[in-house]
């Protein structure tokens, strides 16, 4: 059973863009958790937050994490808050390698500025300092990544190559040294 590659990281670190290209390169199916939640609920993430609140969104997210954790051979782009719930991490780790994407607060700010309307946790008044604070508060959660890749100033293909190299390395180590926590 082929492991899933699970992309985690803060909003605007490139999970969806990188995930799509990575899946293409590895001939794997790509799943974007937020798009799946939108498909199933028939609402955009913003609508879901507005009409039913964050709690409802988080429970949809949890169901989706459980479901995807039972799948294999997927590249999964998670929402930035998936790792906040330990059950989500446990479910997705069962058959997944976690790739943590990172970016500087400035790069995150410029990427999310284009699509703030789709991100209920950010508003047009969100500042770099707000992003820095959120990043600091979440740092310990993103630390569950098996591999970490900084996307700041990197070309998409370079990021994808780096992930492929590291995933292969880790898969090799896990296969040959199953007792090591690598
Ligand atoms: C969230 C990130 C969003 C989306 C939701 C909550 C978060 O996904 O799941 O708005 O808590 O960081 P992206 O990371 O794809 O923007």
């Amino acid at each position: 059973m082929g492991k899933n590659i699970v992309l985690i990281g803060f909003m605007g670190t490139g999970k969806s863009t990188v995930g799509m290209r990575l899946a293409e390169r590895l001939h794997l199916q790509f799943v974007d958790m937020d798009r799946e939640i939108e498909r199933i609920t028939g609402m955009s993430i913003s609508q879901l937050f507005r009409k039913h609140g964050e709690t409802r969104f988080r429970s949809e997210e949890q169901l989706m994490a459980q479901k995807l954790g039972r799948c294999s051979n997927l590249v999964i782009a998670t929402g930035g808050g998936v790792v906040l719930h330990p059950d989500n991490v446990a479910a997705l780790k069962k058959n997944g390698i976690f790739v943590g994407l990172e970016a500087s607060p400035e790069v995150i700010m410029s990427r999310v500025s284009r699509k703030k309307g789709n991100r209920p946790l950010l508003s047009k008044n969100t500042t770099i300092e707000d992003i820095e604070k959120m990043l600091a508060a979440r740092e310990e959660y993103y630390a569950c990544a098996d591999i970490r890749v900084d996307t700041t100033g990197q070309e998409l293909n370079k990021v994808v190559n780096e992930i492929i190299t590291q995933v292969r390395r880790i898969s090799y180590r896990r296969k040959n040294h199953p007792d090591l926590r690598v």
Side-chain angles (χ1 to χ4, degrees):
M1 188 162 79
K3 291 237 177 230
N4 298 318
I5 300 177
V6 182
L7 300 173
I8 64 163
F10 197 76
M11 294 172 266
T13 50
K15 301 178 296 287
S16 303
T17 311
V18 169
M20 247 183 283
R21 180 68 65 87
L22 183 64
E24 228 173 74
R25 284 275 305 276
L26 296 175
H27 305 288
L28 296 175
Q29 194 186 331
F30 173 67
V31 178
D32 190 308
M33 280 183 77
D34 282 348
R35 301 295 82 77
E36 272 301 290
I37 292 171
E38 289 180 334
R39 194 178 62 78
I40 282 170
T41 60
M43 278 177 273
S44 70
I45 301 299
S46 306
Q47 282 172 330
L48 198 51
F49 267 71
R50 216 171 32 244
K51 288 194 183 160
H52 304 286
E54 181 171 352
T55 310
R56 165 78 191 279
F57 168 73
R58 294 298 175 200
S59 72
E60 294 293 344
E61 194 174 49
Q62 226 174 313
L63 288 174
M64 189 56 65
Q66 298 292 332
K67 184 173 147 188
L68 294 175
R70 291 190 292 270
C71 298
S72 50
N73 292 308
L74 298 177
V75 174
I76 302 169
T78 63
V82 158
V83 294
L84 302 179
H85 203 301
D87 287 353
N88 295 343
V89 175
L92 290 165
K93 275 238 171 180
K94 255 188 281 167
N95 189 38
I97 295 177
F98 273 34
V99 178
L101 295 186
E102 298 174 351
S104 69
E106 291 74 17
V107 165
I108 289 175
M109 184 72 176
S110 86
R111 289 184 188 155
V112 298
S113 293
R114 288 175 243 141
K115 286 199 201 160
K116 266 187 190 150
N118 294 343
R119 292 188 164 101
L121 298 184
L122 304 175
S123 78
K124 60 177 177 9
N125 299 322
T126 301
T127 61
I128 295 225
E129 288 70 36
D130 296 328
I131 289 176
E132 278 168 352
K133 274 191 206 138
M134 287 174 85
L135 276 171
R138 288 186 171 189
E139 173 55 32
E140 61 177 304
Y141 297 96
Y142 295 130
C144 66
D146 300 299
I147 293 165
R148 300 179 90 158
V149 178
D150 194 346
T151 65
T152 306
Q154 297 287 356
E155 268 179 30
L156 180 56
N157 275 333
K158 252 191 107 192
V159 171
V160 169
N161 287 342
E162 170 74 14
I163 294 173
I164 293 173
T165 306
Q166 292 212 43
V167 165
R168 287 198 173 130
R169 197 173 292 150
I170 218 170
S171 305
Y172 175 83
R173 276 197 240 137
R174 281 183 179 170
K175 200 166 134 222
N176 292 289
H177 308 281
D179 49 328
L180 285 183
R181 213 209 144 275
V182 284

